[in-house]
Coordinates of all heavy atoms in Angstrom, one line a residue:
M53 N -211.1 -87.8 110.4 CA -211.2 -86.5 109.7 C -212.1 -86.7 108.4 O -211.9 -87.6 107.6 CB -209.8 -86.1 109.3 CG -209.7 -84.9 108.5 SD -208.0 -84.4 108.1 CE -208.0 -82.8 108.8
K54 N -213.0 -85.8 108.3 CA -214.0 -85.9 107.2 C -213.3 -85.3 105.9 O -212.7 -84.2 105.9 CB -215.2 -85.1 107.5 CG -216.3 -85.2 106.5 CD -217.6 -84.4 107.0 CE -218.6 -84.5 105.9 NZ -219.8 -83.8 106.3
K55 N -213.5 -86.0 104.8 CA -213.0 -85.5 103.5 C -214.0 -84.6 102.8 O -215.2 -84.8 102.9 CB -212.7 -86.7 102.6 CG -211.6 -87.6 103.1 CD -211.2 -88.6 102.1 CE -210.1 -89.5 102.6 NZ -209.6 -90.5 101.6
T56 N -213.5 -83.5 102.2 CA -214.3 -82.6 101.5 C -214.6 -83.1 100.1 O -213.6 -83.4 99.4 CB -213.5 -81.2 101.4 OG1 -213.2 -80.8 102.7 CG2 -214.4 -80.2 100.8
P57 N -215.8 -83.2 99.7 CA -216.1 -83.6 98.3 C -215.8 -82.5 97.3 O -216.1 -81.4 97.5 CB -217.6 -83.9 98.4 CG -218.2 -83.0 99.5 CD -217.0 -82.9 100.5
V58 N -215.2 -82.9 96.2 CA -214.9 -82.0 95.1 C -215.1 -82.7 93.8 O -215.1 -84.0 93.8 CB -213.4 -81.5 95.2 CG1 -213.1 -80.7 96.4 CG2 -212.4 -82.7 95.1
L59 N -215.4 -82.0 92.8 CA -215.5 -82.6 91.5 C -214.2 -83.0 90.9 O -213.2 -82.3 91.1 CB -216.1 -81.5 90.5 CG -217.6 -81.3 90.6 CD1 -218.0 -80.2 89.6 CD2 -218.4 -82.5 90.3
S60 N -214.2 -84.2 90.3 CA -212.9 -84.7 89.7 C -212.6 -83.8 88.5 O -213.4 -83.2 87.8 CB -213.1 -86.1 89.2 OG -212.1 -86.5 88.4
F61 N -211.3 -83.7 88.2 CA -210.8 -82.9 87.0 C -211.4 -83.5 85.8 O -211.7 -82.7 84.8 CB -209.3 -83.0 87.0 CG -208.8 -82.2 85.8 CD1 -208.7 -80.8 85.8 CD2 -208.3 -82.9 84.7 CE1 -208.2 -80.1 84.7 CE2 -207.8 -82.2 83.6 CZ -207.8 -80.8 83.6
T62 N -211.7 -84.8 85.7 CA -212.2 -85.4 84.5 C -213.7 -85.1 84.4 O -214.3 -85.2 83.3 CB -212.1 -86.9 84.6 OG1 -212.7 -87.4 85.7 CG2 -210.6 -87.3 84.5
S63 N -214.4 -84.6 85.4 CA -215.8 -84.2 85.4 C -216.0 -82.8 84.9 O -217.1 -82.4 84.6 CB -216.5 -84.4 86.7 OG -216.4 -85.7 87.1
L64 N -214.9 -82.0 84.9 CA -215.0 -80.6 84.5 C -215.0 -80.5 82.9 O -214.4 -81.3 82.3 CB -213.9 -79.8 85.0 CG -213.8 -79.7 86.6 CD1 -212.6 -79.0 87.0 CD2 -215.1 -79.0 87.1
P65 N -215.7 -79.5 82.4 CA -215.7 -79.3 80.9 C -214.3 -79.0 80.4 O -213.5 -78.4 81.1 CB -216.7 -78.2 80.7 CG -216.7 -77.4 81.9 CD -216.4 -78.4 83.0
S66 N -214.0 -79.4 79.2 CA -212.7 -79.1 78.6 C -212.6 -77.6 78.2 O -213.6 -76.9 78.0 CB -212.5 -79.9 77.3 OG -213.5 -79.7 76.4
R67 N -211.4 -77.1 78.2 CA -211.1 -75.7 77.9 C -210.3 -75.6 76.6 O -209.5 -76.5 76.4 CB -210.4 -75.0 79.0 CG -211.2 -74.9 80.3 CD -210.5 -74.0 81.3 NE -210.6 -74.8 82.6 CZ -209.7 -74.7 83.5 NH1 -208.7 -73.9 83.4 NH2 -209.9 -75.3 84.6
F68 N -210.5 -74.6 75.9 CA -209.7 -74.5 74.6 C -208.3 -73.9 75.0 O -208.2 -73.0 75.8 CB -210.4 -73.5 73.7 CG -211.7 -74.1 73.1 CD1 -212.9 -73.7 73.6 CD2 -211.7 -75.0 72.1 CE1 -214.1 -74.2 73.2 CE2 -212.9 -75.5 71.6 CZ -214.1 -75.1 72.1
P69 N -207.3 -74.5 74.3 CA -205.9 -74.1 74.6 C -205.5 -72.8 73.9 O -204.4 -72.8 73.2 CB -205.1 -75.3 74.2 CG -205.9 -75.9 73.1 CD -207.3 -75.6 73.5
I70 N -206.3 -71.8 74.0 CA -206.0 -70.5 73.3 C -204.7 -69.9 73.9 O -203.8 -69.4 73.1 CB -207.2 -69.5 73.4 CG1 -208.3 -70.1 72.7 CG2 -206.8 -68.2 72.8 CD1 -209.6 -69.4 72.9
T71 N -204.6 -69.8 75.2 CA -203.4 -69.2 75.8 C -202.2 -70.0 75.5 O -201.1 -69.4 75.2 CB -203.6 -69.1 77.3 OG1 -204.8 -68.4 77.6 CG2 -202.5 -68.3 78.0
G72 N -202.2 -71.3 75.6 CA -201.1 -72.1 75.2 C -200.6 -71.9 73.8 O -199.4 -71.9 73.5
T73 N -201.6 -71.8 72.9 CA -201.2 -71.6 71.5 C -200.5 -70.3 71.3 O -199.5 -70.2 70.6 CB -202.5 -71.6 70.6 OG1 -203.1 -72.9 70.8 CG2 -202.2 -71.5 69.2
A74 N -201.0 -69.2 72.0 CA -200.4 -67.9 71.9 C -199.0 -67.9 72.5 O -198.0 -67.3 71.9 CB -201.2 -66.9 72.6
V75 N -198.8 -68.6 73.6 CA -197.5 -68.7 74.2 C -196.5 -69.5 73.3 O -195.3 -69.0 73.1 CB -197.6 -69.4 75.6 CG1 -196.2 -69.8 76.1 CG2 -198.3 -68.5 76.6
V76 N -196.9 -70.5 72.7 CA -196.0 -71.3 71.7 C -195.6 -70.4 70.6 O -194.5 -70.3 70.2 CB -196.7 -72.5 71.2 CG1 -196.0 -73.1 70.0 CG2 -196.9 -73.6 72.3
Y77 N -196.6 -69.6 70.0 CA -196.3 -68.7 68.9 C -195.3 -67.6 69.4 O -194.3 -67.4 68.7 CB -197.6 -68.0 68.5 CG -197.3 -66.9 67.5 CD1 -197.0 -67.2 66.1 CD2 -197.3 -65.6 67.8 CE1 -196.7 -66.2 65.2 CE2 -197.1 -64.6 66.9 CZ -196.8 -64.9 65.6 OH -196.5 -63.9 64.7
L78 N -195.5 -67.0 70.5 CA -194.6 -66.0 71.0 C -193.2 -66.6 71.3 O -192.2 -65.9 71.0 CB -195.1 -65.3 72.3 CG -196.4 -64.5 72.0 CD1 -197.0 -64.0 73.3 CD2 -196.1 -63.3 71.1
L79 N -193.1 -67.8 71.9 CA -191.8 -68.4 72.2 C -191.0 -68.7 70.9 O -189.8 -68.5 70.8 CB -191.9 -69.6 73.0 CG -192.3 -69.4 74.5 CD1 -192.5 -70.7 75.2 CD2 -191.1 -68.6 75.2
L80 N -191.7 -69.2 69.9 CA -191.1 -69.6 68.6 C -190.6 -68.3 67.9 O -189.5 -68.3 67.3 CB -192.1 -70.3 67.7 CG -192.4 -71.7 68.1 CD1 -193.5 -72.3 67.2 CD2 -191.2 -72.6 68.2
D81 N -191.4 -67.2 68.0 CA -191.0 -66.0 67.4 C -189.8 -65.4 68.2 O -188.8 -64.9 67.5 CB -192.1 -65.0 67.4 CG -191.8 -63.7 66.6 OD1 -191.3 -63.8 65.5 OD2 -192.1 -62.7 67.2
K82 N -189.8 -65.4 69.5 CA -188.8 -64.7 70.3 C -187.4 -65.4 70.1 O -186.4 -64.8 70.0 CB -189.1 -64.7 71.7 CG -188.0 -64.1 72.6 CD -188.5 -63.8 74.0 CE -187.4 -63.3 74.9 NZ -186.8 -62.1 74.5
F83 N -187.4 -66.7 70.1 CA -186.1 -67.5 70.0 C -185.8 -67.8 68.5 O -184.8 -68.6 68.3 CB -186.2 -68.8 70.8 CG -186.3 -68.5 72.3 CD1 -187.4 -68.8 73.0 CD2 -185.3 -67.8 72.9 CE1 -187.5 -68.6 74.4 CE2 -185.3 -67.5 74.3 CZ -186.5 -67.9 75.0
H84 N -186.5 -67.3 67.6 CA -186.2 -67.5 66.1 C -185.9 -69.0 65.9 O -184.9 -69.4 65.3 CB -185.0 -66.7 65.7 CG -185.1 -65.2 66.0 ND1 -186.0 -64.4 65.3 CD2 -184.5 -64.4 66.9 CE1 -185.9 -63.2 65.7 NE2 -185.0 -63.2 66.7
A85 N -186.9 -69.8 66.2 CA -186.8 -71.2 66.1 C -186.7 -71.6 64.6 O -187.2 -71.0 63.7 CB -188.1 -71.9 66.7
S86 N -185.9 -72.7 64.4 CA -185.7 -73.2 63.0 C -187.0 -73.8 62.5 O -188.0 -74.0 63.2 CB -184.6 -74.2 63.0 OG -184.9 -75.3 63.8
G87 N -187.0 -74.1 61.2 CA -188.2 -74.7 60.6 C -188.7 -76.0 61.2 O -189.9 -76.2 61.4
W88 N -187.7 -76.9 61.5 CA -188.2 -78.2 62.0 C -188.7 -78.1 63.4 O -189.6 -78.8 63.8 CB -187.0 -79.2 61.9 CG -185.9 -79.0 62.9 CD1 -184.8 -78.3 62.7 CD2 -185.9 -79.5 64.2 NE1 -184.0 -78.3 63.8 CE2 -184.6 -79.1 64.8 CE3 -186.7 -80.3 65.0 CZ2 -184.3 -79.4 66.1 CZ3 -186.3 -80.6 66.3 CH2 -185.1 -80.1 66.8
V89 N -188.2 -77.1 64.2 CA -188.7 -76.9 65.6 C -190.1 -76.3 65.5 O -191.0 -76.8 66.2 CB -187.8 -76.0 66.4 CG1 -188.4 -75.6 67.7 CG2 -186.4 -76.6 66.6
Q90 N -190.3 -75.4 64.6 CA -191.7 -74.8 64.4 C -192.6 -75.9 63.9 O -193.8 -76.0 64.4 CB -191.6 -73.7 63.4 CG -191.0 -72.4 64.0 CD -191.1 -71.3 63.0 OE1 -191.9 -71.3 62.1 NE2 -190.3 -70.2 63.2
G91 N -192.2 -76.7 63.0 CA -193.0 -77.8 62.5 C -193.4 -78.8 63.6 O -194.6 -79.2 63.7
A92 N -192.4 -79.2 64.5 CA -192.7 -80.1 65.6 C -193.7 -79.4 66.6 O -194.6 -80.1 67.1 CB -191.4 -80.5 66.2
A93 N -193.4 -78.2 66.9 CA -194.3 -77.5 67.9 C -195.7 -77.3 67.4 O -196.7 -77.6 68.1 CB -193.7 -76.1 68.2
W94 N -195.9 -76.9 66.1 CA -197.2 -76.8 65.6 C -197.9 -78.1 65.4 O -199.2 -78.2 65.4 CB -197.2 -76.0 64.3 CG -196.8 -74.5 64.5 CD1 -195.8 -73.8 64.0 CD2 -197.5 -73.6 65.4 NE1 -195.8 -72.6 64.5 CE2 -196.8 -72.4 65.4 CE3 -198.6 -73.7 66.3 CZ2 -197.2 -71.3 66.1 CZ3 -199.0 -72.6 67.0 CH2 -198.3 -71.4 66.9
T95 N -197.2 -79.2 65.2 CA -197.8 -80.5 65.1 C -198.4 -80.9 66.5 O -199.5 -81.4 66.6 CB -196.8 -81.5 64.7 OG1 -196.3 -81.2 63.4 CG2 -197.4 -82.9 64.6
V96 N -197.6 -80.6 67.5 CA -198.1 -80.9 68.9 C -199.3 -80.0 69.2 O -200.3 -80.5 69.8 CB -197.0 -80.7 69.9 CG1 -197.6 -80.7 71.4 CG2 -195.9 -81.7 69.7
V97 N -199.3 -78.7 68.9 CA -200.4 -77.8 69.1 C -201.6 -78.2 68.3 O -202.7 -78.3 68.8 CB -200.0 -76.3 68.8 CG1 -201.2 -75.4 68.8 CG2 -199.0 -75.8 69.8
G98 N -201.4 -78.6 67.1 CA -202.5 -79.1 66.2 C -203.2 -80.4 66.8 O -204.4 -80.5 66.8
A99 N -202.3 -81.3 67.3 CA -202.9 -82.5 67.9 C -203.7 -82.2 69.2 O -204.7 -82.8 69.4 CB -201.7 -83.5 68.2
L100 N -203.2 -81.2 69.9 CA -203.9 -80.8 71.1 C -205.3 -80.2 70.8 O -206.3 -80.5 71.4 CB -203.1 -79.8 71.9 CG -203.6 -79.3 73.2 CD1 -203.7 -80.4 74.2 CD2 -202.7 -78.1 73.7
W101 N -205.3 -79.3 69.7 CA -206.6 -78.7 69.3 C -207.6 -79.8 68.8 O -208.7 -79.7 69.1 CB -206.3 -77.7 68.3 CG -206.0 -76.3 68.8 CD1 -204.8 -75.8 69.1 CD2 -207.0 -75.4 69.3 NE1 -204.9 -74.6 69.6 CE2 -206.3 -74.3 69.8 CE3 -208.4 -75.3 69.4 CZ2 -206.9 -73.1 70.3 CZ3 -209.0 -74.2 69.9 CH2 -208.2 -73.1 70.4
I102 N -207.0 -80.8 68.0 CA -207.9 -81.8 67.5 C -208.5 -82.6 68.7 O -209.7 -83.0 68.7 CB -207.1 -82.7 66.6 CG1 -206.8 -82.0 65.3 CG2 -207.9 -84.0 66.3 CD1 -205.9 -82.7 64.3
G103 N -207.6 -82.9 69.7 CA -208.1 -83.6 70.9 C -209.2 -82.9 71.6 O -210.2 -83.4 72.1
V104 N -209.0 -81.5 71.7 CA -210.0 -80.7 72.4 C -211.4 -80.7 71.6 O -212.4 -80.9 72.2 CB -209.5 -79.3 72.6 CG1 -210.6 -78.4 73.0 CG2 -208.4 -79.3 73.6
F105 N -211.3 -80.6 70.3 CA -212.5 -80.6 69.5 C -213.2 -82.0 69.6 O -214.5 -82.0 69.7 CB -212.3 -80.2 68.1 CG -212.1 -78.8 67.8 CD1 -211.0 -78.2 67.3 CD2 -213.2 -77.9 68.2 CE1 -210.9 -76.8 67.1 CE2 -213.1 -76.5 68.0 CZ -211.9 -76.0 67.5
V106 N -212.5 -83.0 69.6 CA -213.1 -84.4 69.7 C -213.7 -84.5 71.1 O -214.9 -85.0 71.2 CB -212.0 -85.5 69.5 CG1 -212.6 -86.8 69.9 CG2 -211.6 -85.5 68.0
S107 N -213.1 -84.0 72.1 CA -213.6 -84.1 73.5 C -214.9 -83.3 73.6 O -215.8 -83.7 74.2 CB -212.6 -83.6 74.4 OG -213.1 -83.5 75.7
V108 N -214.9 -82.1 73.0 CA -216.1 -81.2 73.1 C -217.3 -81.9 72.5 O -218.4 -81.8 73.0 CB -215.8 -79.9 72.4 CG1 -217.1 -79.1 72.2 CG2 -214.9 -79.0 73.3
F109 N -217.1 -82.6 71.4 CA -218.3 -83.2 70.7 C -218.6 -84.5 71.2 O -219.7 -85.1 70.8 CB -218.0 -83.2 69.2 CG -218.0 -81.8 68.5 CD1 -216.9 -81.3 68.0 CD2 -219.2 -81.1 68.5 CE1 -216.9 -80.0 67.5 CE2 -219.2 -79.8 68.0 CZ -218.0 -79.3 67.4
T110 N -217.8 -85.2 72.0 CA -218.1 -86.5 72.5 C -218.4 -86.6 74.0 O -218.8 -87.6 74.4 CB -216.9 -87.5 72.1 OG1 -215.8 -87.0 72.8 CG2 -216.7 -87.6 70.7
E111 N -218.2 -85.5 74.7 CA -218.4 -85.6 76.1 C -219.9 -85.4 76.5 O -220.6 -84.7 75.7 CB -217.5 -84.6 76.9 CG -217.8 -83.1 76.7 CD -216.9 -82.2 77.3 OE1 -215.8 -82.7 77.8 OE2 -217.1 -81.0 77.4
Q112 N -220.3 -86.0 77.5 CA -221.7 -85.9 78.0 C -221.8 -85.0 79.2 O -221.0 -85.1 80.1 CB -222.2 -87.3 78.3 CG -223.6 -87.3 78.8 CD -224.0 -88.7 79.3 OE1 -223.2 -89.6 79.3 NE2 -225.2 -88.9 79.7
K113 N -222.7 -84.0 79.1 CA -222.9 -83.1 80.2 C -223.7 -83.8 81.3 O -224.7 -84.4 81.0 CB -223.6 -81.8 79.7 CG -223.0 -81.2 78.5 CD -221.7 -80.4 79.0 CE -221.3 -79.5 77.8 NZ -220.1 -79.9 77.2
V114 N -223.2 -83.7 82.5 CA -223.9 -84.3 83.7 C -224.0 -83.3 84.8 O -223.0 -82.6 85.1 CB -223.0 -85.6 84.2 CG1 -223.7 -86.2 85.4 CG2 -222.9 -86.6 83.1
E115 N -225.2 -83.2 85.4 CA -225.4 -82.3 86.5 C -224.8 -82.9 87.8 O -224.7 -84.1 87.9 CB -226.9 -82.1 86.7 CG -227.6 -81.4 85.6 CD -227.1 -79.9 85.5 OE1 -226.8 -79.3 86.5 OE2 -227.1 -79.5 84.3
L116 N -224.4 -82.0 88.7 CA -223.8 -82.4 89.9 C -224.8 -83.3 90.7 O -224.4 -84.3 91.3 CB -223.3 -81.2 90.7 CG -222.7 -81.5 92.1 CD1 -221.5 -82.4 91.9 CD2 -222.3 -80.2 92.8
K117 N -226.0 -82.9 90.8 CA -227.0 -83.6 91.6 C -227.2 -85.1 91.0 O -227.5 -86.0 91.8 CB -228.3 -82.9 91.7 CG -229.0 -82.6 90.4 CD -230.2 -81.8 90.6 CE -230.7 -81.2 89.3 NZ -231.8 -80.3 89.4
D118 N -227.0 -85.2 89.7 CA -227.1 -86.6 89.1 C -225.9 -87.4 89.5 O -226.1 -88.6 89.8 CB -227.2 -86.5 87.6 CG -228.5 -85.9 87.1 OD1 -229.5 -85.9 87.8 OD2 -228.5 -85.3 86.0
L119 N -224.8 -86.8 89.6 CA -223.6 -87.5 90.1 C -223.8 -87.9 91.6 O -223.4 -89.0 92.0 CB -222.3 -86.6 90.0 CG -221.9 -86.4 88.5 CD1 -220.7 -85.4 88.6 CD2 -221.4 -87.7 87.9
M120 N -224.3 -87.0 92.4 CA -224.5 -87.4 93.8 C -225.6 -88.5 94.0 O -225.5 -89.3 94.9 CB -224.9 -86.1 94.6 CG -223.9 -85.0 94.5 SD -222.3 -85.5 95.3 CE -222.7 -85.6 97.0
K121 N -226.6 -88.4 93.1 CA -227.6 -89.5 93.2 C -227.1 -90.8 92.9 O -227.5 -91.8 93.4 CB -228.8 -89.1 92.2 CG -230.0 -90.0 92.3 CD -231.1 -89.6 91.4 CE -230.7 -89.6 90.0 NZ -231.7 -89.3 89.0
D122 N -226.1 -90.9 91.9 CA -225.6 -92.2 91.5 C -224.6 -92.8 92.5 O -224.3 -93.9 92.4 CB -224.8 -92.0 90.1 CG -225.8 -91.7 89.0 OD1 -227.0 -92.0 89.1 OD2 -225.3 -91.2 88.0
E123 N -224.3 -92.0 93.5 CA -223.4 -92.6 94.5 C -224.1 -93.6 95.4 O -223.4 -94.2 96.2 CB -222.8 -91.4 95.4 CG -221.6 -90.7 94.7 CD -221.0 -89.8 95.7 OE1 -221.2 -89.8 96.9 OE2 -220.2 -89.0 95.3
G124 N -225.4 -93.7 95.4 CA -226.1 -94.6 96.2 C -226.4 -94.1 97.6 O -226.5 -94.9 98.5
G125 N -226.6 -92.8 97.7 CA -227.0 -92.2 98.9 C -225.9 -92.0 99.9 O -226.2 -91.6 101.1
R126 N -224.7 -92.2 99.5 CA -223.6 -92.0 100.4 C -223.4 -90.5 100.7 O -223.5 -89.7 99.8 CB -222.3 -92.5 99.8 CG -221.1 -92.6 100.8 CD -219.9 -93.1 100.2 NE -219.4 -92.2 99.2 CZ -218.2 -92.3 98.7 NH1 -217.5 -93.3 98.9 NH2 -217.8 -91.4 97.8
K127 N -223.2 -90.1 101.9 CA -223.0 -88.7 102.2 C -221.6 -88.3 102.5 O -220.8 -88.9 102.9 CB -223.9 -88.3 103.4 CG -225.3 -88.4 103.1 CD -226.1 -88.0 104.3 CE -227.6 -88.1 104.0 NZ -228.5 -87.7 105.1

């Protein structure tokens, strides 16, 4: 059985966690989270945003044809 080639998840560009941030905000508001829970949640969200920004500025853009060329001619 022939395997279908797909791009690895690590080869795809990073996405900003805008929806996740909004969901965290809405959940904290709906459940009237205490101060320490909000602090812990926003610390995790902040670390996630910092990781995304670091990833955006340090990742190298690679074309698909360059990836296929580096495979050594394997089809």
Side-chain angles (χ1 to χ4, degrees):
M53 177 176 238
K54 186 176 179 181
K55 293 186 179 183
T56 304
V58 295
L59 283 177
S60 169
F61 179 76
T62 58
S63 297
L64 298 174
S66 56
R67 293 187 227 154
F68 292 102
I70 295 170
T71 306
T73 303
V75 168
V76 168
Y77 172 76
L78 292 172
L79 286 173
L80 291 174
D81 186 47
K82 176 166 177 62
F83 293 116
H84 304 290
S86 62
W88 71 269
V89 173
Q90 288 187 15
W94 291 121
T95 300
V96 171
V97 169
L100 182 65
W101 274 96
I102 289 170
V104 167
F105 279 121
V106 168
S107 174
V108 164
F109 291 113
T110 59
E111 65 186 12
Q112 178 183 3
K113 306 285 191 251
V114 179
E115 294 292 327
L116 180 60
K117 58 185 166 186
D118 294 337
L119 290 174
M120 297 301 287
K121 182 175 66 173
D122 290 340
E123 280 189 12
R126 191 178 71 166
K127 292 184 179 182

